[in-house]
């Protein structure tokens, strides 16, 4: 490779999308229909549910009663990163979340790597949550009607107790897809109703669980030490994906410079409060060792309430709330996945089909259907327990990139209008980076192995196809000023 070719390749890898172009970016058919409140409910909808309905029974065996500290640790790391998200969302208010922020600050190859993280976290998160839906659905059906979906139709072939396919998970993905195809505003209204229901149900759980509160359950507070707490925090962290989901809606929210920071910070406050209340009340109501029982692997919190009260009605109500809650989580994470791929396709780094918008519904229909098919296959055939940490590692890397992006953009574009500025700069983004790195250290080695394999596949695609079809690359080849006009 000649020196000129090396320079050309280096220029391609590190070229950045001009921020001025990004902030003026046309929504290309997407409609600005979401309010600040709707956007905040997106964040709550895609966050509250996974951390309490599923992850408690994955994280408590690692940390014991100190899972409360793990929730605080994950919440602090997410909070520090949320402040950086708020500034970046107000400065670069477009679809694509961390991918778009990385493209504007760190370069094209970094943006593609971040896109790989986001695709991983959203696809796996949607699939993982869909898999867990069947457990609460069966609990609800059993309590109400005395029957359940047969085991061979509610478990994948790779589960510990294998079946043929997890049919409820496939049905959930299909229902969410139909709603998303209809439009973002319709999806937002349905999500808001479901968020209100889930918060009311979790309020009921906390009230009932506190009636059986026993402080002795906190006696052996940290049975596995700091390592157990860090490992639990790493598992929990993926539940804060909702903060990133808010920033995927940049092209569909009204007054994004103000709405997005408010929605991100508001969602964080609601989510952290709910998580801590549920964690404290659940540990107080049941010895931590019982969270690892196989009988509680599915619909664990509903079974906990039934044990506490000796009656089925609280568990029935909680199962109904969980069915609704998990629907909203799946809806928003599926939405976030499609909008990220929309942004990548719009920039030419994926085939144009991902950025094509239906003129009637103002939604990327082809993109949504393709994502639903991929997520459905994962949800139908891959066991839940193998998925959580992959989501966490993708989320943590994305949060680190956002904090780095704030520092870079403050230096490169100090004059850029910002609807929100990170307080205590640069300490806050640096602490956000450090806290995420600390949590990353607690993940299993095989999580890194799978993550690096996936990242390698995506970057290979970028080197072979994406960098040649990038709209920035086409603009350079055509001799056009980058960011002022985009060739079609």
């Amino acid at each position: 490779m000649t020196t000129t070719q090396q320079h050309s390749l280096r220029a391609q890898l590190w070229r950045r999308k001009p921020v001025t172009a990004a902030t003026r970016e046309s929504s290309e058919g997407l409609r600005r229909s979401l309010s600040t409140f709707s956007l905040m409910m997106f964040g709550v909808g895609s966050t509250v549910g996974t951390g309490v309905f599923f992850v408690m029974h994955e994280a408590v065996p690692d940390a014991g009663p100190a899972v409360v500290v793990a929730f605080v640790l994950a919440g602090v790391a997410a909070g520090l990163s949320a402040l950086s998200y708020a500034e970046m969302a107000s400065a670069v208010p477009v679809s694509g979340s961390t991918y778009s922020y990385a493209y504007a600050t760190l370069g094209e190859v970094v943006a593609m790597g971040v896109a790989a993280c986001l695709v991983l976290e959203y696809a796996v998160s949607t699939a993982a949550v869909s898999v867990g839906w069947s457990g609460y659905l069966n609990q609800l059906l059993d309590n109400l009607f005395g029957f359940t979906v047969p085991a061979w139709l509610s478990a994948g072939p790779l589960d510990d107790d294998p079946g043929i396919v997890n049919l409820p998970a496939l049905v959930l993905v299909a229902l969410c897809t139909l709603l998303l195809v209809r439009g973002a505003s319709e999806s937002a209204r349905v999500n808001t109703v479901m968020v209100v229901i889930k918060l009311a149900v979790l309020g009921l759980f906390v009230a009932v669980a506190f009636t059986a509160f026993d402080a002795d359950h906190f006696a052996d507070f940290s049975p596995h030490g700091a390592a157990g707490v860090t490992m639990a925090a790493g598992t929990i962290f993926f539940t804060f994906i909702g903060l990133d989901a808010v920033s995927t809606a940049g092209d569909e929210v009204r007054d994004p410079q103000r709405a997005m920071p408010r929605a991100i910070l508001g969602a964080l406050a609601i989510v952290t409060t709910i998580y801590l209340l549920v964690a404290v009340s659940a540990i107080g109501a049941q010895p931590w060792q019982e969270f690892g029982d196989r009988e509680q692997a599915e619909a664990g919190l509903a079974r906990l309430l039934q044990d506490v009260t000796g009656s089925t009605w609280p568990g029935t109500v909680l199962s109904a709330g969980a069915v609704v809650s998990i629907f909203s989580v799946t809806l928003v994470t599926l939405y976030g996945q499609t909008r990220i791929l929309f942004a990548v396709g719009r920039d030419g780094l994926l085939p144009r089909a991902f950025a094509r918008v239906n003129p009637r519904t103002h939604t990327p229909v082809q993109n949504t259907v393709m994502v639903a098919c991929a997520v459905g296959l994962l949800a139908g055939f891959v066991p839940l327990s193998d998925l959580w940490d992959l989501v966490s590692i993708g989320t943590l890397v994305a949060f680190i990139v956002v904090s780095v992006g704030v520092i870079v953009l403050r230096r490169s574009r100090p004059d850029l209008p910002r609807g929100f500025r990170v307080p205590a700069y640069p300490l806050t983004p640096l602490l956000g980076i450090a806290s995420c790195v600390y949590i990353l250290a607690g993940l299993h080695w095989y999580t890194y192995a799978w993550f690096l394999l996936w990242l390698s596949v995506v970057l290979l695609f970028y080197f072979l196809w994406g960098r040649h079809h990038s709209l920035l690359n086409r603009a350079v080849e055509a001799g056009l000023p980058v960011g002022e006009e985009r060739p079609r």
Side-chain angles (χ1 to χ4, degrees):
M1 181 179 293
T2 66
T3 303
T4 302
Q5 289 174 323
Q6 290 176 340
H7 176 75
S8 176
L9 177 60
R10 190 181 305 116
Q12 284 183 343
L13 298 182
W14 301 106
R15 59 194 168 201
R16 294 179 293 178
K17 188 173 183 179
V19 177
T20 52
T23 54
R24 295 196 305 265
E25 191 78 64
S26 167
S27 61
E28 298 195 25
L30 299 178
R31 178 184 295 164
R32 292 194 180 275
S33 58
L34 302 179
S35 65
T36 302
F37 180 74
S38 296
L39 198 59
M40 187 186 302
M41 292 300 98
F42 261 27
V44 176
S46 60
T47 304
V48 170
T50 48
V52 291
F53 289 119
F54 301 146
V55 178
M56 282 286 290
H57 297 275
E58 297 288 333
V60 172
D62 289 332
V67 72
V68 176
V69 177
F71 271 107
V72 171
L73 179 59
V76 168
L80 292 168
S81 300
L83 294 172
S84 294
Y85 262 100
E87 176 166 329
M88 290 298 291
S90 70
V92 191
V94 295
S95 291
S97 179
T98 317
Y99 157 78
S100 294
Y101 307 153
Y103 207 168
T105 57
L106 302 175
E108 189 170 276
V109 68
V110 177
M112 199 62 185
V114 170
C117 295
L118 295 173
V119 168
L120 179 71
E121 71 177 82
Y122 277 96
V124 174
S125 175
T126 307
V129 173
S130 302
V131 168
W133 192 63
S134 62
Y136 281 99
L137 180 64
N138 272 334
Q139 182 73 33
L140 180 63
L141 292 175
D142 187 35
N143 288 356
L144 290 178
F145 307 111
F147 75 88
T148 61
V149 178
W152 59 276
L153 278 179
S154 58
L158 301 178
D159 284 348
D160 292 336
D161 297 318
I164 296 176
V165 64
N166 193 323
L167 183 61
L170 293 180
V171 170
L172 176 59
V173 173
L175 291 174
C176 291
T177 301
L178 290 174
L179 187 56
L180 288 173
V181 165
R182 288 181 58 85
S185 59
E186 291 84 350
S187 301
R189 283 194 291 270
V190 172
N191 175 70
T192 298
V193 172
M194 290 190 289
V195 167
V196 172
I197 293 172
K198 82 164 75 175
L199 292 180
V201 169
L202 288 173
L204 172 68
F205 172 85
V206 170
V208 173
F210 268 123
T211 64
F213 188 87
D214 185 348
D216 290 340
H217 292 166
F218 290 84
D220 186 15
F221 187 70
S222 185
H224 305 302
V229 174
T230 305
M231 188 175 298
T235 301
I236 290 166
F237 195 84
F238 96 90
T239 65
F240 287 94
I241 191 175
L243 304 178
D244 186 272
V246 170
S247 64
T248 66
D251 282 327
E252 294 170 278
V253 60
R254 298 190 294 267
D255 191 13
Q257 284 86 353
R258 293 190 179 196
M260 293 176 72
R262 291 174 180 176
I264 290 170
L265 298 177
L268 174 68
I270 294 171
V271 166
T272 304
T273 300
I274 291 295
Y275 277 179
L276 289 177
L277 285 173
V278 171
V280 171
S281 61
I283 295 292
Q286 174 178 276
W288 70 268
Q289 294 89 345
E290 295 183 17
F291 282 86
D293 289 351
R294 286 180 59 85
E295 292 184 1
Q296 290 202 8
E298 294 185 349
L301 294 188
R303 293 179 185 274
L304 188 155
L305 282 193
Q306 290 180 186
D307 293 342
V308 165
T309 62
S311 174
T312 61
W313 75 262
T316 302
V317 173
L318 189 76
S319 294
V323 168
V324 171
S325 172
I326 296 161
F327 191 107
S328 72
V329 173
T330 306
L331 177 69
V332 180
T333 53
L334 196 62
Y335 167 88
Q337 175 79 98
T338 62
R339 272 30 178 200
I340 289 163
L341 293 175
F342 168 84
V344 181
R346 181 176 60 187
D347 291 333
L349 296 171
L350 281 176
R352 188 67 181 175
F354 285 95
R356 195 168 292 126
V357 175
N358 185 288
R360 184 175 61 86
T361 63
H362 300 279
T363 58
V365 174
Q366 288 178 277
N367 176 343
T368 304
V369 171
M370 287 188 286
V371 169
C373 289
V375 169
L377 288 174
L378 194 60
F381 298 99
V382 178
L384 176 69
S385 59
D386 294 341
L387 303 177
W388 298 118
D389 284 355
L390 276 176
V391 184
S392 288
I393 195 171
T395 306
L396 285 161
V397 171
F399 278 27
I400 289 171
V401 168
V402 169
S403 296
V404 172
V406 166
I407 296 172
V408 172
L409 200 59
R410 283 282 190 104
R411 289 176 171 271
S412 62
R413 291 299 308 275
D415 59 321
L416 192 69
R418 293 166 170 83
F420 176 86
R421 286 178 175 269
V422 170
Y425 173 87
L427 180 61
T428 299
L430 290 174
L431 287 175
I433 294 169
S435 60
C436 289
V437 170
Y438 177 74
I439 295 175
L440 275 172
L443 297 178
H444 295 289
W445 68 267
Y446 52 79
T447 303
Y448 286 94
W450 282 110
F451 174 72
L452 292 174
L453 177 61
W454 167 248
L455 185 62
S456 299
V457 170
V458 173
L459 290 180
L460 180 63
F461 170 82
Y462 167 72
F463 279 101
L464 295 178
W465 191 91
R467 68 188 180 93
H468 301 293
H469 293 80
S470 164
L471 290 184
L472 289 186
N473 187 63
R474 291 166 61 187
V476 170
E477 290 180 346
L480 297 171
V482 173
E484 294 184 10
E485 184 179 352
R486 296 182 304 150
R488 296 283 182 181

